[in-house]
Amino acid sequence: MPARRKSRKRALDVLYEADLRNLPPVEVLANYLQRIEQPRPEHIGYTIRIVEGAAAHLDRIDELLASYAEGWTIDRMPVVDRNLARIAVYELLYADDIDDAVAISEAVELARQMSTDDSPRFLNGILGRIAEFATR
């Protein structure tokens, strides 16, 4: 598994736990980092960047998800999908070093591995619409 995909998977773990337990993502991240043996993997820095960035922009990210998820409320989305979308939207809007197509394809691939059969198509659609908005 490529390093950035590992980072995204770890970020998903943290955001998923924070979402389910209704805790601040940075608090869950701090506890998560304490459990990782030293020396930490090199890719953990990108995990931290994703979680902190998504947490810092969570209101804007969720606003966009709610606006572009046709027929879905954010609370109705499966927890895995919601948090994969948050990671991808963070990358689309705030990570200039990540191409939009990469952010979307990584979310779709992780959804294929970890969520429902419909999740990849759902995420591809919503993230594609958000990417179009972001490039305007």
Side-chain angles (χ1 to χ4, degrees), residues 19-70:
D19 201 352
L20 283 180
R21 296 180 64 205
N22 198 29
L23 294 171
V26 291
E27 180 182 317
V28 174
L29 176 64
N31 291 330
Y32 185 82
L33 292 173
Q34 288 177 347
R35 296 189 307 259
I36 295 176
E37 289 184 31
Q38 298 290 340
R40 291 181 180 155
E42 287 183 29
H43 65 269
I44 205 73
Y46 192 61
T47 299
I48 294 167
R49 179 178 159 197
I50 292 170
V51 172
E52 289 177 346
H57 300 286
L58 191 58
D59 289 341
R60 177 66 177 142
I61 290 169
D62 283 357
E63 177 186 315
L64 284 170
L65 290 174
S67 295
Y68 285 88
E70 297 170 357

Side-chain angles (χ1 to χ4, degrees), residues 65-76:
L65 290 174
S67 295
Y68 285 88
E70 297 170 357
W72 287 81
T73 64
I74 196 152
D75 292 333
R76 191 171 156 233

